[in-house]
Amino acid sequence: MSRATAKGRAPVLDETDRALINMLQGDFPLVRNPFADVAVRLGIDQEEVIDRLQRLLDQRVLTRFGPMFQIERIGGAFCLAAIGVPEADFERVAAEVNAFAEVAHNYRRDHALNMWFVLATETPQGIAATARRIEIATGLPVFLFPKEREYFVEMKLEA
Amino acid sequence: MAAHRENPAPQDASNPGAASGVGCDEAIERRIIVATQGGLPLVPQPWDEVAREVGLPVDELLCRVRAMLERGVIRRIGVVPNHYAIGYTANGMSVWDVADECVDAVGEFIGALDAVTHCYRRPRRLPDWPYNLFAMVHGRSHDEVRQQISDIADRIAARFPGACRSREVLFSSAILKKTGLRISSAAGSVQERE
C-alpha cells in the first residue's frame, strides 16, 4: 500500500495541541483579541496559543488557519474533477495540475481515475475553461463532477 | 502589534461604510476574501491587520465578516487539520449508484450518519462512472472505513430496498495539494450569475 507519503511523518501531538485543534475546528472568536479568548479557554497564555498554531502549521499538522469560503455565494464556483493518469506519467501530471492556482486540493486515489482535485474559480464559466486548460497542459481528459446537491458537510475531525 | 483602526485605503469609490449598494458590498467582500484566503495572521490582533490590508476600520471589518458568516459566504473560521497528521490515515471517498428517483432521500439519510463528513449528489459520467452520490468517510484504517461503508450499505438496503445498484470506495494514498481557495483579485467579475 502506498500510503507512506501521506503517513510517516505524523508528529507527536500533546493534549493541548489536540484540544486546540478540536476547539478551533469550530468557530474562531470574532473579536479584536481572539487568541486571548482561546488562551483562557485552554488555560494557557496567548503567546503559547499563537506559537502552537504556528508550529502546527509549520509541521503541516494544520494545512490552514483562517476563514473557509463558499465562493458560490458570491458568484464563484467549486467543482470536483478527476483524471485517469497513466502511472508512468503521474508525477509529471501532478506537477502540471498543481501548478494551476485554481486547483485548491488534489488527492491521489486508488482507482482507474487516480487523480481527484477541486477547482475553485471566480465565475461558474471558469470551471470549464480551467478544465480545458488542464486538458491541454496534461494531454488527458478531465472529468467534471459538479455538486448538484449538498446533503451534509461537517469537516470536524476529533484530533 | 496593536495596530489600531486604519483609514480606508485610497482604493476606489466603493468604500461608503456599512449600508451601501450590493455591488459595493461585494467588492469589499472580495477584498476580505483576497486578504484572508491565505490564512489569518498569527498575531494577537489578526483582524486589525486584515482591516488595514482591506482598508476598513476594524469594527466594520468584524461586522462584515460576521455578515459573511451569516450568509454562508464564509462557512466557518478556524483550522483545517491535515487529517493524516491527526491520525485519520484512511480517507475513503465512497461512491454510490442510486436510482435517480430516490437519490435525494438516500443522500439525506447517508449525510445524517455519524461516519460521513461530506455528502453530495454529482452527475454520472457514463459509461465509466455510474455513481451519483459521494460520501466521504474518514477513519484510522482502511478496514475501519470499509466496515463503516459496509454498515452504510446495509442501512441503505434496509431503508431503501433496491435503490442502490452498486458502490465503490476510493482511498486516497497521497495529498498532492491542499492550499484551499485562491482568487486572484478583488476586482474579478462576479455579476454574470444574474
Side-chain angles (χ1 to χ4, degrees):
Chain A
M1 226 164 283
S2 58
R3 282 194 290 158
T5 40
K7 224 175 158 185
R9 61 184 146 81
V12 177
L13 305 179
D14 67 18
E15 282 312 303
T16 308
D17 289 335
R18 292 183 186 277
L20 180 64
I21 293 168
N22 291 337
M23 182 181 297
L24 290 188
Q25 287 180 76
D27 285 320
F28 187 61
L30 204 46
V31 296
R32 295 282 296 277
N33 294 287
F35 296 110
D37 278 23
V38 173
V40 168
R41 284 193 272 158
L42 284 176
I44 56 178
D45 66 35
Q46 166 174 293
E47 285 309 314
E48 190 180 345
V49 172
I50 292 175
D51 290 348
R52 279 179 187 267
L53 280 172
Q54 187 64 63
R55 174 173 53 78
L56 293 169
L57 284 163
D58 292 343
Q59 291 175 331
R60 303 275 303 149
V61 172
L62 301 176
T63 59
R64 247 185 79 72
F65 166 65
M68 260 59 76
F69 300 102
Q70 287 192 278
I71 193 70
E72 299 100 319
R73 297 284 164 94
I74 61 163
F78 282 116
C79 188
L80 180 66
I83 306 181
V85 184
E87 276 305 320
D89 290 340
F90 198 88
E91 303 254 312
R92 168 186 70 85
V93 173
E96 283 164 352
V97 170
N98 289 350
F100 283 81
E102 294 88 347
V103 173
H105 310 279
N106 191 0
Y107 286 86
R108 181 177 182 129
R109 294 193 180 277
D110 303 329
H111 191 269
L113 287 177
N114 53 0
M115 186 179 291
W116 289 79
F117 49 96
V118 173
L119 297 176
T121 61
E122 300 195 28
T123 66
Q125 298 86 335
I127 296 293
T130 304
R132 238 181 349 260
R133 284 163 53 222
I134 293 175
E135 288 183 330
I136 290 164
T138 61
L140 296 166
V142 172
F143 294 91
L144 290 176
F145 297 95
K147 176 170 71 184
E148 291 179 335
R149 197 154 153 202
E150 176 179 306
Y151 303 107
F152 185 74
V153 175
E154 173 57 81
M155 288 177 287
K156 287 175 200 169
L157 292 173
E158 188 81 9
Chain B
M1 225 54 103
H4 292 295
R5 63 179 48 199
E6 295 290 321
N7 296 322
Q11 296 236 353
D12 52 43
S14 63
N15 232 329
S20 56
V22 168
C24 296
D25 283 350
E26 210 162 64
I28 291 169
E29 291 188 348
R30 296 181 70 83
R31 292 218 297 273
I32 294 171
I33 293 173
V34 169
T36 58
Q37 62 189 351
L40 283 178
L42 286 173
V43 297
Q45 298 189 315
W47 298 111
D48 288 63
E49 219 163 272
V50 173
R52 193 165 50 223
E53 199 172 328
V54 173
L56 288 178
V58 65
D59 293 338
E60 185 182 335
L61 174 84
L62 289 172
C63 274
R64 288 189 180 270
V65 170
R66 195 166 292 118
M68 289 165 81
L69 271 164
E70 279 162 12
R71 286 179 19 246
V73 175
I74 297 175
R75 211 186 255 285
R76 68 188 176 92
I77 302 170
V79 299
V80 179
N82 171 339
H83 43 250
Y84 292 102
I86 61 170
Y88 292 85
T89 49
N91 161 269
M93 182 171 79
S94 70
V95 292
W96 311 74
D97 172 13
V98 178
D100 288 333
E101 57 275 18
C102 46
V103 64
D104 287 336
V106 175
E108 300 280 355
F109 180 71
I110 293 183
L113 300 177
D114 279 346
V116 172
T117 60
H118 308 56
C119 186
Y120 301 107
R121 187 180 82 210
R122 302 185 186 280
R124 297 185 175 87
R125 296 298 179 203
L126 297 171
D128 297 329
W129 188 264
Y131 309 110
N132 56 346
L133 196 57
F134 289 57
M136 291 300 314
V137 178
H138 296 278
R140 294 175 194 271
S141 71
H142 283 199
D143 283 345
E144 181 190 326
V145 170
R146 280 200 194 89
Q147 184 58 51
Q148 281 173 325
I149 290 169
S150 150
D151 289 347
I152 294 170
D154 291 345
R155 286 162 185 259
I156 295 172
R159 178 78 170 265
F160 304 96
C164 180
R165 296 179 285 240
S166 64
R167 70 172 200 267
E168 261 189 279
V169 55
L170 283 69
F171 283 106
S172 71
S173 51
I175 298 175
L176 304 172
K177 185 177 186 182
K178 195 166 180 190
T179 50
L181 171 73
R182 287 290 183 278
I183 64 173
S184 58
S185 75
S189 51
V190 291
Q191 308 290 10
E192 288 91 337
R193 237 189 185 176
E194 46 265 1

